[in-house]
Amino acid sequence: LADRQRLDMDLLLLVGGIGVEPRSLALTSLALVFAVAGVAKLRLRRSFEEAIFSWGIPVRLVRGLALLLPLAELVLAAALLADAVRDTSWSLWAAALVLATFLGGQLFLLLKMSRKVGAATCGCFGRPGPVGVSSLSRTAVLLGLAVVGVVIP
């Protein structure tokens, strides 16, 4: 128990000593990121459609995915906020799964495009931008945040 309390205290100091629990920080931070990303993709839907097309998705599926993916992000953002209020963390598991899928998809696109001319765009936050170190790093950090929230209550 003493080790657990020391770990909790170290984590509180790590987040600025403001009394924020790691799970609460993960829930609210990830909710904000998913909400901003979902809204941005809906607002910049044409740009997001172009990004999806660059992934090699068949044209007939692009429009539906451009609507479905941001709506799923908004649902996940709402679930993360609900868990922050209810003091549960099932949505962190969902966020970790989604982020791990994003990371795997980005790695796949990076490898696929390294063999071809042209580059796939990330579509992160609805804006075009190449899949690269910055998008991989951002996704890995967010995944780490979700894992910390799951592992450390």
Side-chain angles (χ1 to χ4, degrees):
L1 184 62
D3 289 336
R4 172 70 185 172
Q5 289 173 335
R6 191 171 336 138
L7 178 62
D8 288 346
M9 184 57 75
D10 289 344
L11 287 169
L12 287 176
L13 292 173
L14 181 68
V15 294
I18 56 174
V20 176
E21 295 177 359
R23 184 181 53 210
S24 296
L25 180 64
L27 286 164
T28 54
S29 298
L30 290 170
L32 179 63
V33 168
F34 278 111
V36 169
V39 168
K41 286 175 184 145
L42 289 173
R43 289 188 68 224
L44 303 168
R45 192 160 167 204
R46 188 77 178 134
S47 176
F48 187 51
E49 287 176 359
E50 291 170 7
I52 293 173
F53 182 73
S54 78
W55 302 344
I57 302 294
V59 175
R60 67 183 185 281
L61 300 176
V62 168
R63 189 166 266 181
L65 281 175
L67 179 61
L68 182 64
L69 291 175
L71 289 178
E73 287 179 319
L74 292 172
V75 168
L76 184 53
L80 287 159
L81 286 177
D83 274 359
V85 171
R86 292 188 315 232
D87 199 29
T88 59
S89 59
W90 73 265
S91 62
L92 283 171
W93 286 98
L97 179 63
V98 167
L99 290 163
T101 303
F102 284 175
L103 189 60
Q106 289 171 340
L107 286 169
F108 173 77
L109 287 173
L110 198 58
L111 291 173
K112 179 181 170 184
M113 291 301 133
S114 70
R115 297 181 188 146
K116 295 182 177 183
V117 176
T121 60
C122 176
C124 300
F125 300 97
R127 299 198 182 276
V131 173
V133 173
S134 65
S135 59
L136 290 170
S137 299
R138 179 180 50 246
T139 304
V141 167
L142 293 171
L143 176 58
L145 182 60
V147 169
V148 165
V150 167
V151 173
I152 302 170

